Amino acid sequence: MFALDTLTHRLKRGCETMAYPDGPPPALPDRHGGALRVDGARCTDGCGACIEVCPTDAITRPANQPIALDLGRCIFCHACISACGPAAITPTGDHRMAVRRREDLVLGAAGGEQLRLAAALDEKLRKLFGRSLRLRQVSAGGCNACEADTNVLGTIGWDLGRFGIQFVASPRHADGLLITGPVSRNMELALRKTWDAVPAPKIVIAVGACAIAGGPFVGRPEVRDGADAIVPVDLYIPGCPPHPLTILDGLLRLLGRLETGDRAPTPR
Amino acid sequence: MSSETSFALLANATSLPWAALPEWPAAEFVRATAAELDRGARLCAWFGVPGDAGTHLVAIIAFDADNTLAAARSAPFAGHYPSLTATHPQAHLFEREVWEQHGLVPDGHPWLKPVRRTDAAGTAPANGEFFRVDGREIHEVAVGPVHAGIIEPGHFRFQCAGEEVLHLEIALGYQHRGAETGLAGGPHRATLSQIETVAGDTTIGHATAYASVLEALAGTEAPLRAQWLRALALELERLANHTGDLGALANDVAFLPTSAACGKIRGDFLNLTALLCGNRFGRGLVRPGGCHHDLEPARATTMLERLRVAVADTEQAAGWLWDAASVRARFENTGPVFAPQATALGLVGPPARACGLVRDVRYDHPAGWYRLAQAPVAVWPGGDVYARARVRWLELQRSGQFLLEQLATPPDGPIFEALPAPACPEPVSRAPDTLAVALVEGWRGEICHVALTDSAGKFRRYKITDPSFHNWTGLALALRGQAISDFPLCNKSFNLSYCGHDL
Ligand code: SF4
Ligand code: SF4
């Protein structure tokens, strides 16, 4: 009787996997804000209010431009947005944030107001991984939020398995690492060993502000301020934590399974 | 009974001048603390405060039945003192921590070794000494720090006779980010975001404790509506995590209907938090002085509607779990912790309540909105995986009900008031030379934050105790005499924080 009930309940719930990427992506929460846009040209008086409030020193004033905002360091607290009178820093509501090169996360130069999307892996790697990517996850000082929102991609709503992406239990079975956390010194050795144990060719994905640049703990002597101090990184996914949609977008983009193209803010 | 105590009394989320703490020589201080614990008090925090003349030991204890906290300190000293752990095991990890941080040696401590091994660079925590069982049939199993799933790192060392675990020792510290040490001299610009990620799945719990400490130091309280918002967010955090835990427990006994459903519903609860503040984990909501985002009527209506659906979904998914005889067979008598052990170890939160201990900060030491609205404490006897799952289920029901009621009756008023600045050398909104304590019942149990200010009102010492710090040893005990294959299930039934422990 009970087995029948379970089956009926299950049938009644139907398919709960989202249509994305074939259909439209689920909406980000309205207060999320998505990727930031930095219009250096609007920063006319150079008051530096944003620099003073930023908890992770993500905003600097380079010699040749009014402000530069490093989205890799950013934890999206929005303090700078409120502090900025002329609205030089604004939320775009766009969930897409993954980039291939660290320097692409720095916004604010003329023509560099918004992120450039990550390019796919080269032809050879895409042939290898495009339809089947096995990742080993290493948390190295992560706070368990980046981990949780990576984990959620395995649930029925997101169903990462349908893209051939899977998290595996051994580095020997993996095509690469997905790293969260700033790399605490106490995890440095374990991360290195895990990386060594993955057979080549291999890729590394850094998820979250911590893994990119140290996150809220940037500069603490107990951490290494990001994964690329230890291993070469192929994909950076900003956020604190990145929304699951942002992580999925990054993974699919890396595998060349989403259209690239210019970054246009999604209307909100 | 707190009425006879020689400690200085204070209520949750209040402060006390540092000078008001009674001070004894170390040995006497340990004796006095032991006497209070014998009288039924519980150790919330035990830490060192370094100074010129040596280090003070400080004890924060709770008299749950009397709804009061109490504090005392030792005279500054260096070197040795008689261990409290020898008679009161609930101090064992605290004393190891103090030894590691300040070099004070607790004589008679049965297992003195580092907690986070922060000293020698490059020395992984597992490269230490482990308790070993000898014998020809005995083998040792080492697991971690990197685990098979998407989980934080930690090392587990099992001593086994065949399948049976004789002893489990847990070595943590891999997640150490300097979260607590970095607070000295603060608050700094990054402090709030660091507090929010001490344990990133408990953002609201830790941020609320931090905000309460700062408000206590400023001699004020957050506006009522902010306290209401914090309570809503704290219960949402509980709902999301407990739902995830029920799903994970179902998954570990291969009962997929509940596992699949709970994985999704957990996200629905996280999305309710995001509806309130934009972030699924509650980042940016709580701040000293109040809250940063309001729940306007339209938003509250949306939340209420979506909450009703999510609560009903959870009810259904949990129903399948409790109906399944195969689940019950795997949960019952697995990983038992007995009430006397739980008391001796000072367990908190669901693992304590699953041993029948009535222990819940929201009820014993209500602060903020919980002075005005409460949910019954969820208790279940037995101490096994089944009991821990049951407690979570009861809390899911009660927190769901609590939220539905509270959402219907919002208080009016502002959500933020900047902290006033009392008179002290610098115009900072924190009293000088003052100790403030805040307890919050997070979803894992009691979160304890203690701040001690210096003469300028800055943090001289800030002590964070995540519930996991009390509870990891409970997991180790639960494994005694169990099959090693039940470790994942037992581990999930505790679901403790690595980073919250490692700080
Ligand atoms: S939103 Fe990012 S850049 Fe702006 S203040 Fe916060 S962390 Fe700094
Ligand atoms: S980036 Fe933010 S959410 Fe991710 S691990 Fe770091 S602190 Fe946690």
Side-chain angles (χ1 to χ4, degrees):
Chain A
M1 208 42 228
F2 138 79
L4 267 187
D5 281 351
T6 310
L7 286 176
T8 341
H9 292 320
R10 191 66 203 87
L11 278 175
K12 262 197 232 149
R13 289 193 70 100
C15 174
E16 295 184 88
T17 305
M18 64 181 65
Y20 177 82
D22 296 334
L28 284 185
D30 65 329
R31 282 175 174 164
H32 185 287
L36 301 184
R37 183 190 159 91
V38 184
D39 292 278
R42 285 204 200 148
C43 174
T44 42
D45 58 355
C47 67
C50 55
I51 298 175
E52 274 158 41
V53 295
C54 179
T56 57
D57 293 326
I59 309 175
T60 50
R61 199 192 293 280
N64 53 348
Q65 68 191 68
I67 49 166
L69 191 155
D70 180 357
L71 221 54
R73 275 189 171 226
C74 177
I75 57 167
F76 298 84
C77 71
H78 293 183
C80 57
I81 301 177
S82 325
C84 181
I89 307 171
T90 45
T92 63
D94 194 342
H95 68 267
R96 302 170 301 171
M97 290 191 228
V99 303
R100 293 292 307 280
R101 297 182 312 167
R102 181 69 181 86
E103 57 271 26
D104 285 349
L105 288 170
V106 182
L107 307 177
E113 288 85 3
Q114 283 182 257
L115 285 175
R116 272 172 298 267
L117 303 173
L121 290 167
D122 65 30
E123 192 57 29
K124 188 169 149 248
L125 283 181
R126 199 151 41 146
K127 275 227 173 79
L128 271 174
F129 301 147
R131 292 153 69 91
S132 161
L133 178 66
R134 299 287 182 266
L135 296 170
R136 166 82 152 168
Q137 203 276 332
V138 180
S139 167
C143 76
N144 206 25
C146 276
E147 289 79 359
D149 267 354
T150 302
N151 226 341
V152 81
L153 293 177
T155 61
I156 50 175
W158 301 87
D159 191 15
L160 197 60
R162 67 195 156 129
F163 307 107
I165 307 173
Q166 206 183 47
F167 289 95
V168 291
S170 164
R172 302 270 188 223
H173 304 159
D175 303 313
L177 301 181
L178 186 148
I179 302 172
T180 52
V183 188
S184 45
R185 289 197 181 267
N186 285 351
M187 265 308 279
E188 201 177 322
L189 178 65
L191 174 58
R192 228 182 267 282
K193 283 188 172 179
T194 310
W195 156 253
D196 286 341
V198 177
K202 48 190 165 185
I203 59 170
V204 172
I205 301 166
V207 170
C210 282
I212 300 175
F217 293 90
V218 58
R220 293 288 318 151
E222 293 86 351
V223 304
R224 293 297 314 270
D225 289 350
D228 57 13
I230 317 293
V231 292
V233 175
D234 299 277
L235 184 72
Y236 299 89
I237 308 182
C240 185
H243 194 275
L245 189 57
T246 305
I247 304 177
L248 181 58
D249 169 82
L251 295 176
L252 296 182
R253 213 163 275 286
L254 185 73
L255 299 182
R257 300 180 66 143
L258 287 178
E259 290 305 310
T260 39
D262 269 334
R263 169 135 308 215
T266 324
R268 293 174 57 188
Chain B
M1 285 300 290
S2 61
S3 50
E4 302 152 16
T5 184
S6 43
F7 276 45
L9 295 177
L10 78 169
N12 185 12
T14 63
S15 67
L16 197 72
W18 174 240
L21 267 67
E23 181 177 301
W24 297 286
E28 214 169 303
F29 167 70
V30 170
R31 257 199 309 279
T33 310
E36 302 301 346
L37 298 183
D38 286 338
R39 272 211 286 255
R42 203 164 49 71
L43 196 60
C44 296
W46 170 276
F47 56 95
V49 175
D52 297 336
T55 301
H56 296 275
L57 279 173
V58 179
I60 307 291
I61 58 175
F63 293 95
D64 292 336
D66 298 350
N67 316 107
T68 188
L69 308 177
R73 67 179 200 227
S74 77
F77 71 103
H80 295 246
Y81 71 98
S83 162
L84 176 61
T85 305
T87 49
H88 296 82
Q90 54 181 311
H92 78 109
L93 210 48
F94 285 117
E95 290 200 312
R96 280 168 55 179
E97 188 185 44
V98 167
W99 171 68
E100 183 175 58
Q101 292 177 347
H102 309 288
L104 301 183
V105 187
D107 288 332
H109 192 292
W111 196 234
L112 195 58
K113 61 180 265 185
V115 179
R116 307 183 176 96
R117 203 174 285 279
T118 57
D119 43 358
T123 309
N127 296 343
E129 187 196 353
F130 285 86
F131 183 83
R132 308 236 9 192
V133 180
D134 272 341
R136 282 177 49 190
E137 303 293 314
I138 303 299
H139 64 111
E140 193 180 54
V141 180
V143 180
V146 185
H147 299 302
I150 305 181
I151 336 171
E152 296 175 66
H155 181 86
F156 301 90
R157 191 71 67 96
F158 299 87
Q159 311 293 322
C160 298
E163 281 292 289
E164 189 190 342
V165 178
L166 301 178
H167 182 72
L168 161 63
E169 186 165 346
I170 303 172
L172 302 176
Y174 295 92
Q175 294 282 72
H176 182 56
R177 297 164 293 171
E180 188 182 279
T181 29
L183 289 172
H188 310 290
R189 217 184 327 152
T191 296
L192 184 55
S193 40
Q194 291 178 352
I195 292 281
E196 287 185 324
T197 52
V198 158
D201 48 24
T202 316
T203 296
I204 301 294
H206 277 284
T208 301
Y210 172 71
S212 307
V213 158
L214 259 68
E215 286 152 12
L217 287 173
T220 177
E221 268 191 22
L224 209 54
R225 190 171 169 87
Q227 299 184 15
W228 173 73
L229 285 168
R230 288 176 185 176
L232 296 184
L234 189 70
E235 298 310 319
L236 279 176
E237 194 165 81
R238 196 179 323 276
L239 286 177
N241 283 296
H242 281 3
T243 305
D245 283 350
L246 277 192
L249 285 166
N251 191 52
D252 272 350
V253 298
F255 188 71
L256 297 187
T258 302
S259 150
C262 284
K264 164 151 190 316
I265 305 164
R266 172 171 177 278
D268 295 339
F269 286 126
L270 292 177
N271 288 340
L272 289 181
T273 300
L275 174 71
L276 174 56
C277 69
N279 183 294
R280 283 156 56 90
F281 296 86
R283 309 282 156 81
L285 176 67
V286 178
R287 50 173 53 190
C291 286
H292 187 51
H293 297 284
D294 203 355
L295 192 67
E296 314 86 326
R299 211 174 274 274
T301 310
T302 312
M303 183 176 284
L304 200 54
E305 281 163 8
R306 284 165 57 180
L307 183 70
R308 279 210 187 93
V309 177
V311 165
D313 283 352
T314 322
E315 178 92 37
Q316 193 185 41
W320 305 334
L321 187 72
W322 306 129
D323 279 353
S326 60
V327 169
R328 192 178 264 264
R330 291 285 283 107
F331 281 10
E332 277 181 345
N333 299 322
T334 305
V337 177
F338 303 102
Q341 294 175 320
T343 311
L345 285 175
L347 298 193
V348 295
R353 294 194 281 276
C355 296
L357 302 185
V358 186
R359 193 171 273 198
D360 187 323
V361 172
R362 293 171 293 170
Y363 175 78
D364 296 326
H365 306 280
W369 190 250
Y370 295 100
R371 290 166 300 182
L372 310 170
Q374 279 175 348
V377 182
V379 183
W380 197 275
D384 51 5
V385 170
Y386 185 73
R388 287 188 285 276
R390 272 292 181 180
V391 165
R392 283 190 171 76
W393 169 232
L394 284 176
E395 293 189 2
L396 276 170
Q397 290 176 303
R398 289 168 189 182
S399 294
Q401 191 56 38
F402 176 89
L403 277 174
L404 292 173
E405 284 164 14
Q406 298 309 313
L407 275 168
T409 53
D412 290 332
I415 59 164
F416 180 78
E417 267 166 33
L419 300 183
C424 57
E426 263 184 90
V428 287
S429 52
R430 290 173 302 278
D433 297 317
T434 302
L435 179 109
V437 183
L439 303 186
V440 170
E441 186 73 21
W443 63 278
R444 283 196 183 93
E446 176 182 291
I447 297 163
C448 176
H449 283 214
V450 186
L452 173 65
T453 54
D454 61 16
S455 56
K458 294 205 188 318
F459 295 149
R460 178 173 168 196
R461 180 76 166 94
Y462 198 98
K463 176 79 202 121
I464 300 171
T465 312
D466 188 83
S468 308
F469 197 78
H470 296 284
N471 284 357
W472 274 110
T473 317
L475 171 61
L477 271 195
L479 255 291
R480 291 235 167 130
Q482 302 293 296
I484 190 167
S485 51
D486 274 336
F487 175 68
L489 182 60
C490 293
N491 191 22
K492 236 49 94 41
S493 76
F494 278 82
N495 191 11
L496 302 174
S497 175
Y498 298 76
C499 56
H501 171 280
D502 293 347
L503 295 175

mmCIF file of all heavy atoms in Angstrom, chain B residues 456-479:
data_model
loop_
_atom_site.group_PDB
_atom_site.id
_atom_site.type_symbol
_atom_site.label_atom_id
_atom_site.label_comp_id
_atom_site.label_asym_id
_atom_site.label_seq_id
_atom_site.Cartn_x
_atom_site.Cartn_y
_atom_site.Cartn_z
ATOM 1 N N ALA B 456 39.037 52.137 24.524
ATOM 2 C CA ALA B 456 38.546 52.996 23.437
ATOM 3 C C ALA B 456 37.254 52.464 22.834
ATOM 4 O O ALA B 456 36.751 53.019 21.865
ATOM 5 C CB ALA B 456 39.612 53.124 22.357
ATOM 6 N N GLY B 457 36.737 51.388 23.386
ATOM 7 C CA GLY B 457 35.483 50.834 22.856
ATOM 8 C C GLY B 457 35.714 49.878 21.701
ATOM 9 O O GLY B 457 34.769 49.386 21.096
ATOM 10 N N LYS B 458 36.958 49.595 21.373
ATOM 11 C CA LYS B 458 37.238 48.622 20.308
ATOM 12 C C LYS B 458 37.276 47.214 20.910
ATOM 13 O O LYS B 458 37.380 47.054 22.126
ATOM 14 C CB LYS B 458 38.582 48.945 19.661
ATOM 15 C CG LYS B 458 38.601 50.260 18.905
ATOM 16 C CD LYS B 458 39.683 50.196 17.853
ATOM 17 C CE LYS B 458 39.948 51.495 17.141
ATOM 18 N NZ LYS B 458 38.793 52.277 16.772
ATOM 19 N N PHE B 459 37.203 46.204 20.022
ATOM 20 C CA PHE B 459 37.221 44.832 20.530
ATOM 21 C C PHE B 459 38.601 44.494 21.086
ATOM 22 O O PHE B 459 39.589 44.472 20.353
ATOM 23 C CB PHE B 459 36.883 43.818 19.435
ATOM 24 C CG PHE B 459 35.493 43.928 18.890
ATOM 25 C CD1 PHE B 459 35.222 43.588 17.571
ATOM 26 C CD2 PHE B 459 34.440 44.341 19.697
ATOM 27 C CE1 PHE B 459 33.939 43.676 17.062
ATOM 28 C CE2 PHE B 459 33.147 44.435 19.197
ATOM 29 C CZ PHE B 459 32.895 44.107 17.872
ATOM 30 N N ARG B 460 38.624 44.213 22.374
ATOM 31 C CA ARG B 460 39.856 43.690 22.959
ATOM 32 C C ARG B 460 39.889 42.179 22.697
ATOM 33 O O ARG B 460 40.945 41.603 22.446
ATOM 34 C CB ARG B 460 39.841 43.984 24.465
ATOM 35 C CG ARG B 460 41.033 43.466 25.197
ATOM 36 C CD ARG B 460 41.005 43.950 26.650
ATOM 37 N NE ARG B 460 41.984 43.241 27.445
ATOM 38 C CZ ARG B 460 41.970 43.229 28.769
ATOM 39 N NH1 ARG B 460 41.017 43.892 29.431
ATOM 40 N NH2 ARG B 460 42.888 42.560 29.430
ATOM 41 N N ARG B 461 38.737 41.578 22.754
ATOM 42 C CA ARG B 461 38.626 40.138 22.481
ATOM 43 C C ARG B 461 37.221 39.897 21.959
ATOM 44 O O ARG B 461 36.257 40.488 22.437
ATOM 45 C CB ARG B 461 38.832 39.358 23.789
ATOM 46 C CG ARG B 461 38.743 37.847 23.658
ATOM 47 C CD ARG B 461 40.021 37.287 23.022
ATOM 48 N NE ARG B 461 40.099 35.830 23.191
ATOM 49 C CZ ARG B 461 39.662 34.950 22.285
ATOM 50 N NH1 ARG B 461 39.110 35.371 21.177
ATOM 51 N NH2 ARG B 461 39.784 33.651 22.491
ATOM 52 N N TYR B 462 37.103 39.051 20.946
ATOM 53 C CA TYR B 462 35.785 38.668 20.465
ATOM 54 C C TYR B 462 35.781 37.149 20.372
ATOM 55 O O TYR B 462 36.632 36.565 19.710
ATOM 56 C CB TYR B 462 35.492 39.289 19.098
ATOM 57 C CG TYR B 462 34.019 39.287 18.747
ATOM 58 C CD1 TYR B 462 33.226 40.417 18.931
ATOM 59 C CD2 TYR B 462 33.404 38.131 18.258
ATOM 60 C CE1 TYR B 462 31.878 40.411 18.629
ATOM 61 C CE2 TYR B 462 32.056 38.123 17.963
ATOM 62 C CZ TYR B 462 31.291 39.270 18.145
ATOM 63 O OH TYR B 462 29.953 39.258 17.855
ATOM 64 N N LYS B 463 34.850 36.515 21.055
ATOM 65 C CA LYS B 463 34.818 35.054 21.098
ATOM 66 C C LYS B 463 33.545 34.546 20.412
ATOM 67 O O LYS B 463 32.447 34.965 20.741
ATOM 68 C CB LYS B 463 34.840 34.577 22.556
ATOM 69 C CG LYS B 463 34.711 33.081 22.723
ATOM 70 C CD LYS B 463 36.040 32.388 22.443
ATOM 71 C CE LYS B 463 35.825 30.936 22.087
ATOM 72 N NZ LYS B 463 36.346 30.599 20.763
ATOM 73 N N ILE B 464 33.749 33.663 19.454
ATOM 74 C CA ILE B 464 32.616 33.067 18.748
ATOM 75 C C ILE B 464 32.565 31.584 19.096
ATOM 76 O O ILE B 464 33.575 30.883 18.977
ATOM 77 C CB ILE B 464 32.788 33.210 17.221
ATOM 78 C CG1 ILE B 464 32.869 34.680 16.823
ATOM 79 C CG2 ILE B 464 31.667 32.500 16.476
ATOM 80 C CD1 ILE B 464 33.263 34.905 15.365
ATOM 81 N N THR B 465 31.414 31.105 19.548
ATOM 82 C CA THR B 465 31.242 29.664 19.730
ATOM 83 C C THR B 465 30.088 29.203 18.872
ATOM 84 O O THR B 465 28.923 29.528 19.148
ATOM 85 C CB THR B 465 30.996 29.299 21.208
ATOM 86 O OG1 THR B 465 31.971 29.954 22.010
ATOM 87 C CG2 THR B 465 31.098 27.796 21.416
ATOM 88 N N ASP B 466 30.415 28.488 17.816
ATOM 89 C CA ASP B 466 29.389 27.901 16.966
ATOM 90 C C ASP B 466 28.874 26.642 17.676
ATOM 91 O O ASP B 466 29.634 25.975 18.376
ATOM 92 C CB ASP B 466 30.017 27.548 15.606
ATOM 93 C CG ASP B 466 28.989 27.106 14.585
ATOM 94 O OD1 ASP B 466 28.369 27.985 13.957
ATOM 95 O OD2 ASP B 466 28.786 25.880 14.419
ATOM 96 N N PRO B 467 27.589 26.314 17.479
ATOM 97 C CA PRO B 467 27.071 25.091 18.123
ATOM 98 C C PRO B 467 27.892 23.851 17.787
ATOM 99 O O PRO B 467 27.986 22.928 18.603
ATOM 100 C CB PRO B 467 25.646 24.975 17.584
ATOM 101 C CG PRO B 467 25.490 26.014 16.516
ATOM 102 C CD PRO B 467 26.536 27.044 16.776
ATOM 103 N N SER B 468 28.496 23.841 16.619
ATOM 104 C CA SER B 468 29.281 22.672 16.210
ATOM 105 C C SER B 468 30.448 22.415 17.154
ATOM 106 O O SER B 468 30.873 21.283 17.327
ATOM 107 C CB SER B 468 29.810 22.877 14.797
ATOM 108 O OG SER B 468 28.757 23.225 13.937
ATOM 109 N N PHE B 469 30.956 23.474 17.747
ATOM 110 C CA PHE B 469 32.084 23.330 18.665
ATOM 111 C C PHE B 469 31.688 22.430 19.838
ATOM 112 O O PHE B 469 32.482 21.629 20.317
ATOM 113 C CB PHE B 469 32.501 24.716 19.164
ATOM 114 C CG PHE B 469 33.864 24.763 19.785
ATOM 115 C CD1 PHE B 469 34.996 24.782 18.989
ATOM 116 C CD2 PHE B 469 34.019 24.772 21.160
ATOM 117 C CE1 PHE B 469 36.259 24.824 19.558
ATOM 118 C CE2 PHE B 469 35.272 24.818 21.733
ATOM 119 C CZ PHE B 469 36.400 24.841 20.943
ATOM 120 N N HIS B 470 30.452 22.546 20.289
ATOM 121 C CA HIS B 470 29.967 21.679 21.372
ATOM 122 C C HIS B 470 29.666 20.266 20.864
ATOM 123 O O HIS B 470 29.735 19.313 21.628
ATOM 124 C CB HIS B 470 28.659 22.225 21.953
ATOM 125 C CG HIS B 470 28.772 23.568 22.611
ATOM 126 N ND1 HIS B 470 29.332 23.750 23.858
ATOM 127 C CD2 HIS B 470 28.375 24.800 22.210
ATOM 128 C CE1 HIS B 470 29.276 25.032 24.192
ATOM 129 N NE2 HIS B 470 28.698 25.698 23.200
ATOM 130 N N ASN B 471 29.254 20.167 19.604
ATOM 131 C CA ASN B 471 28.580 18.935 19.175
ATOM 132 C C ASN B 471 29.436 17.917 18.423
ATOM 133 O O ASN B 471 29.020 16.773 18.290
ATOM 134 C CB ASN B 471 27.366 19.292 18.297
ATOM 135 C CG ASN B 471 26.201 19.799 19.138
ATOM 136 O OD1 ASN B 471 26.281 19.831 20.364
ATOM 137 N ND2 ASN B 471 25.119 20.186 18.481
ATOM 138 N N TRP B 472 30.609 18.317 17.917
ATOM 139 C CA TRP B 472 31.404 17.350 17.141
ATOM 140 C C TRP B 472 31.721 16.101 17.955
ATOM 141 O O TRP B 472 31.727 14.982 17.444
ATOM 142 C CB TRP B 472 32.700 17.985 16.627
ATOM 143 C CG TRP B 472 32.557 18.705 15.310
ATOM 144 C CD1 TRP B 472 32.615 20.056 15.113
ATOM 145 C CD2 TRP B 472 32.328 18.131 14.010
ATOM 146 N NE1 TRP B 472 32.431 20.347 13.775
ATOM 147 C CE2 TRP B 472 32.264 19.182 13.075
ATOM 148 C CE3 TRP B 472 32.175 16.815 13.553
ATOM 149 C CZ2 TRP B 472 32.048 18.986 11.711
ATOM 150 C CZ3 TRP B 472 31.963 16.611 12.187
ATOM 151 C CH2 TRP B 472 31.896 17.687 11.286
ATOM 152 N N THR B 473 32.013 16.290 19.241
ATOM 153 C CA THR B 473 32.345 15.120 20.056
ATOM 154 C C THR B 473 31.136 14.206 20.223
ATOM 155 O O THR B 473 31.282 12.993 20.384
ATOM 156 C CB THR B 473 32.868 15.569 21.434
ATOM 157 O OG1 THR B 473 33.770 16.651 21.225
ATOM 158 C CG2 THR B 473 33.589 14.448 22.137
ATOM 159 N N GLY B 474 29.940 14.792 20.140
ATOM 160 C CA GLY B 474 28.722 13.975 20.185
ATOM 161 C C GLY B 474 28.688 13.004 19.019
ATOM 162 O O GLY B 474 28.330 11.826 19.181
ATOM 163 N N LEU B 475 29.092 13.480 17.851
ATOM 164 C CA LEU B 475 29.133 12.600 16.674
ATOM 165 C C LEU B 475 30.137 11.472 16.895
ATOM 166 O O LEU B 475 29.862 10.302 16.593
ATOM 167 C CB LEU B 475 29.502 13.416 15.427
ATOM 168 C CG LEU B 475 29.793 12.600 14.160
ATOM 169 C CD1 LEU B 475 28.575 11.797 13.734
ATOM 170 C CD2 LEU B 475 30.247 13.505 13.019
ATOM 171 N N ALA B 476 31.295 11.820 17.453
ATOM 172 C CA ALA B 476 32.312 10.792 17.698
ATOM 173 C C ALA B 476 31.755 9.701 18.621
ATOM 174 O O ALA B 476 31.954 8.509 18.401
ATOM 175 C CB ALA B 476 33.561 11.425 18.293
ATOM 176 N N LEU B 477 31.037 10.139 19.661
ATOM 177 C CA LEU B 477 30.472 9.160 20.597
ATOM 178 C C LEU B 477 29.377 8.326 19.942
ATOM 179 O O LEU B 477 29.231 7.140 20.226
ATOM 180 C CB LEU B 477 29.882 9.885 21.813
ATOM 181 C CG LEU B 477 30.807 10.140 22.979
ATOM 182 C CD1 LEU B 477 29.976 10.506 24.198
ATOM 183 C CD2 LEU B 477 31.665 8.916 23.270
ATOM 184 N N ALA B 478 28.603 8.952 19.064
ATOM 185 C CA ALA B 478 27.493 8.250 18.419
ATOM 186 C C ALA B 478 27.996 7.070 17.598
ATOM 187 O O ALA B 478 27.281 6.091 17.393
ATOM 188 C CB ALA B 478 26.703 9.206 17.525
ATOM 189 N N LEU B 479 29.238 7.119 17.148
ATOM 190 C CA LEU B 479 29.784 6.078 16.273
ATOM 191 C C LEU B 479 30.270 4.865 17.046
ATOM 192 O O LEU B 479 30.506 3.806 16.464
ATOM 193 C CB LEU B 479 30.930 6.666 15.443
ATOM 194 C CG LEU B 479 30.605 6.957 13.986
ATOM 195 C CD1 LEU B 479 30.404 5.671 13.200
ATOM 196 C CD2 LEU B 479 29.338 7.800 13.850
#
